[in-house]
Structures are given as C-alpha cells and as structure tokens.
Amino acid sequence: MSRKTETVDSMGTDRPEIEIRGLHKSFGDNEVLRGIDLDIARGEVVCVIGPSGSGKSTLLRCVNLLEEPTSGQVFVGGTEVTDLDVDIDAVRRRIGMVFQQFNLFPHLNVTENLTLPQRRVLRRSKARAAAVARENLVRVGLADKADAYPAQLSGGQQQRVAIARALVMGPEVMLFDEPTSALDPELVGEVLSVMRLLAAEGMTMMVVTHEMSFAREVADRVVFMDGGVIVEHGPAAQVVGDPQHERTRNFLMRILDPASTEAPVEDAGVDVRKPVDGSSEG
Amino acid sequence: MTSRLTRRQRRRVSQGIQYAVFVAALILIGFLADWDRLQNQFAQKDLAKELFPDIITIALRNTVVYTMSGFVFGLVLGLIIALMRLSSVAPYRWVASVYIEFFRGLPALLIFIFVGVAVPLAFPGTQIPGGTYGKVALGLGLVAAAYMAETIRAGIQAVPKGQMEAARSLGFSHARAMVSVIIPQALRIVIPPLTNELVLLFKDSSLVLFLGVTLEERELTKFGRDLASQTANSTPILVAGLCYLIVTVPLSLVVRRLEARADKAR
C-alpha cells in the first residue's frame, strides 16, 4: 500500500533536516497551530519554549505525524512526512521521540525495551540488537540496569532508557517533548546531561522544554511560541537573554521568577505580589 | 448530645444483635433439619468410595478438558471480537457489537441445544469437528467469547495511550504495536477477570448434560446425576459438587490475590 516518495537530495546538501511549511492544526473548533514555518538544519539544536497551550507540543508531534496536521507540509530529511503516500513507519524509524511520561514498555525489562523495536521494526538479529542495546545503555550511563524493569528505575533513569530506546533505531533527528517536566528536580540534571552529550555529538534535536538554562547553554536557536504562532525565534542568547517581544518577556519573567507563577491570574486579589504589568495577552 | 447512648455503646448493641440473630439461625437449622435423613441421602460413605477413581479420572478430567477447550476457543474468538470492536472500520464494530449483545443476552443452555441439536438437524451431514469435545468447545466458547471480548476491550483501552504513541514513534505499524506492545499489557490487566470467566465456564460445562454423551464423555454433573439415579441416593451429587469446589475455590482465591496485587501496583 505505502509508497516511499523520497525527494532527490537526502544526503549532503544544504537542505534543512526538518522543514515545516504553513502548518495548521485544529482540534475541532480549537485552532492550536495557526501557520507555522520553521527550518532546522542538520546538527542544529532548537528549543521550543512557550506557555502551556501555546501549541509547542502539538508542533513537535506533527513532525512525526503523531498528530495529523490540518494543513501545511512537514519534511524530514527531504521526505514529505505529510504526503499521504509516504510510508510513515519508515519515516518514523529515522525520527527518535522522547516523551514527557517516558512511555517505556512496562512489561519488558530495559534490554527488551531496547531490543524489541530493533527486532520487530528493523529485523535485526538477536545478537546485533543486543549489542546495539548495550552500546546505547553505556551511552546513557545505565549499563548496569540492563535487566531492571522500568518500575524499578527512578524517573531520571527511565527517561535515559527512553532516550537510549530512541537511539537504538539510529535516528537522524531526535524530538523531545518536555523530557524533564515529569521529573523530580534532583533528577533533571542527569537527563539534561545525556541530551547535552547528544547535542555535542551533532544530533539534530528539536526540544520542547521549560528548562531555560538548558536552552541558553545548549540550543543553537530558541523558538518562542504563543497562541499557535511563532512569536520570536533566534539565537538562544538573544531570545532568552534579550527578548524583543512583550509576550516573550512576560513568559520569561513568569518562568524565571517562580513567585509570579505560583498563583494563576484568575485567583484575583488575594496575592500580595504586585501585578506583573497591565498586558492581558496570551 | 440528645442521645443517651454513646457512639461506642450503640455500636456494641448493634453488633450484639447481629451475632444473636446469627446464633439463633444456626440453632433453628440444627433443630429443624432431619440430620439422619440428610446423612442417609447425601453422605453414604460406601457409596462415595465406589465413585472413585472414575469420578476423578473420567468426570473431573472431562470437566477440565471441556472447560479448557471452551476457554481457549473463547479467548481467541474474544480477542478477535475485541479488536473488531475497536476497529476504525465501522462494519467490524457493528458485527462485534451485535455478536456481544446477542450471545450475552441468551442463556448458555439455549446455545448448547442449538449447537448440539439444531445445527445437526438443520444441516444434515455437517459434523462439528472433534465430536462431543468440539461441540462443547463451540458452545462454551461462543458464549465465553462475548464476555471475554468486552473484558479484553476494556483491558486494551486501559493501556495508556502513550504506549501506542511510543511504539508508533519507533516505527511499529499499528498492527505490530498491538501485537508486541498493547495486547501483552492488556492481557496482563485482564488476567483476574478472565480467571473469573474461567470459573464461570467450569460450572457452565455442566450443560454438556443436554448434549447426549457416551459413558466415557460424562463430566461431573452428568456423572453425579447418573449415579444418583442408579443408586437412588444423592451422595454422588454431593461428591460431584465437592469436586467442583476443589477447583473453583482455589481459582477464586487466586483471582482475589491477583486483584490485590494489581491494586498495589497501581
């Protein structure tokens, strides 16, 4: 049924690894993405930030078609993901994804989590799959947990296994959907350092995150989204350090100053904190 | 505080009354029942001894075989119907829903009569493969599948959505993700209710009674009833009943254990 339509230049040209063109996505009447255009070059690390409900996770999920865009195009490595005739399973093999909730397979141990997709999807031999699994467990620093079950691991360890599981498929691109948001604060660091390692190895990464320090340090570019559009994007230092837009400034102020994020705006009046400012955007 | 009794006193009085009623009921039964006659009818040791070993080697064995064949057939069919029920193709969903409502709405006995009598009459020459065993597997399985399909569907839907997403993002096709990731987890979730279904089937296998079986094919209920009428005594029925309990009670305990463990894991 499925036919793979590969555009000519999948290697070595200056075509971006990820190209997003005029992307719209609605859930019923709710228009979550209102026209997104974004290019991500090979080896680039792009962090997508923005308030909840801004559409950043939906954007990420459109890249590997976990959400079907309402209109617009997405290309990954030159292949049009949004083409109805494309073999989406083949495309997804080249796109690793890491979820907020880890989504490890709880009925399998760590090694089996890493070998199952290799065996079933890539048809690798048992020995080869095991070798690749071991290799990637070492990469995320969990070689000693090969026989553990997900429930026996901490959140940070589970997320590192989830990263390793994505890596065993040899992806060209890695998508991270708030990879540290479900973690206790003391476990965030170990996951971020694995991601830093990947970035240093030259992996193309698209990261939806609230970790501003990670964005500032690791990202080549930061994209700020709000209300389903890209409000501002540019070098990390610029967007995070010297935002040009009011909405970006408000968001960063809220996220960097925890005191102002604790009470939502609707809890009017009871708070002693002074109002941030008069704007009511968002 | 308007009431004269404290809460503690009131609780004591309430419990005291409940115990008193219980003891009174026991005493009443003890006096009213004709124990000699009961023992005569139901607990003749010599008669009971004569039942062995046939009641185990033939009757209980057949009950187990009938149950297992019905269970396996029902499980496979139930899984297929559950998947049809969840299909994105509407006609599959309709067929599955009709099947489930149809077979859950009919007495199992009627299905047995249908399989055992109506089908051979309506289609002369057709043979259900496996003789009596095949008929039983079909009769029990058809009914069990309807219940198991609903259980399995619930189990599949209880697997978090992220599991399918993770599998799909790794390049699994929908079908392969179902087989390798979702269904193994769903079956784990439904083991306790499926074991309950097994207990129900174990008892329903007594409906074989209405199929007409050879001596060698008799299961516990038929066996007990036949011997009861041969000996004009009900002891065989009591023994057959005990044979059921030997299997069903431990199974029920296992279910309770599994459920407790599943609760803890949550």
Side-chain angles (χ1 to χ4, degrees), chain A residues 17-49:
Chain A
E17 185 70 40
I18 301 176
E19 296 172 76
I20 298 167
R21 297 272 172 272
L23 194 69
H24 288 260
K25 172 68 185 176
S26 302
F27 295 104
D29 289 337
N30 184 15
E31 196 176 8
V32 180
L33 297 179
R34 309 161 179 258
I36 302 283
D37 290 278
L38 182 65
D39 284 354
I40 297 178
R42 180 153 311 178
E44 198 179 16
V45 177
V46 172
C47 282
V48 183
I49 62 172

Side-chain angles (χ1 to χ4, degrees), chain A residues 2 7 13 16 26 33 42 76 88 92 161 166 168 191 200 254 256:
Chain A
S2 42
T7 326
T13 59
S26 302
L33 297 179
R42 180 153 311 178
V76 175
I88 187 60
R92 284 187 179 134
V161 172
V168 294
V191 172
R254 263 178 287 145
L256 296 174

Side-chain angles (χ1 to χ4, degrees), chain A residues 83-210:
Chain A
D83 182 352
L84 281 174
D85 286 330
V86 85
D87 179 356
I88 187 60
D89 297 331
V91 177
R92 284 187 179 134
R93 275 167 225 166
R94 297 161 29 204
I95 309 172
M97 179 140 186
V98 175
F99 299 86
Q100 183 177 351
Q101 298 296 338
F102 329 134
N103 293 347
L104 291 176
F105 304 137
H107 60 303
L108 303 176
N109 71 24
V110 166
T111 300
E112 290 161 346
N113 262 280
L114 268 57
T115 51
L116 180 79
Q118 297 183 67
R119 304 267 290 135
R120 293 277 182 278
V121 177
L122 301 178
R123 300 265 159 223
R124 280 183 185 153
S125 74
K126 220 172 175 175
R128 169 117 175 81
V132 174
R134 219 172 303 125
E135 209 172 277
N136 282 287
L137 278 182
V138 172
R139 213 163 157 193
V140 299
L142 287 172
D144 55 329
K145 298 292 183 192
D147 298 324
Y149 279 83
Q152 300 167 319
L153 301 177
S154 74
Q157 291 170 331
Q158 287 191 52
Q159 193 60 298
R160 283 148 71 198
V161 172
I163 294 173
R165 183 178 64 179
L167 291 175
V168 294
M169 308 299 282
E172 298 156 22
V173 177
M174 286 284 284
L175 308 176
F176 294 85
D177 189 3
E178 303 200 26
T180 58
S181 297
L183 296 176
D184 290 336
E186 76 270 22
L187 303 175
V188 169
E190 59 187 83
V191 172
L192 290 182
S193 55
V194 168
M195 291 168 62
R196 249 182 227 114
L197 197 80
L198 275 182
E201 288 173 6
M203 178 65 78
T204 309
M205 292 162 64
M206 187 168 170
V207 185
V208 171
T209 187
H210 293 293

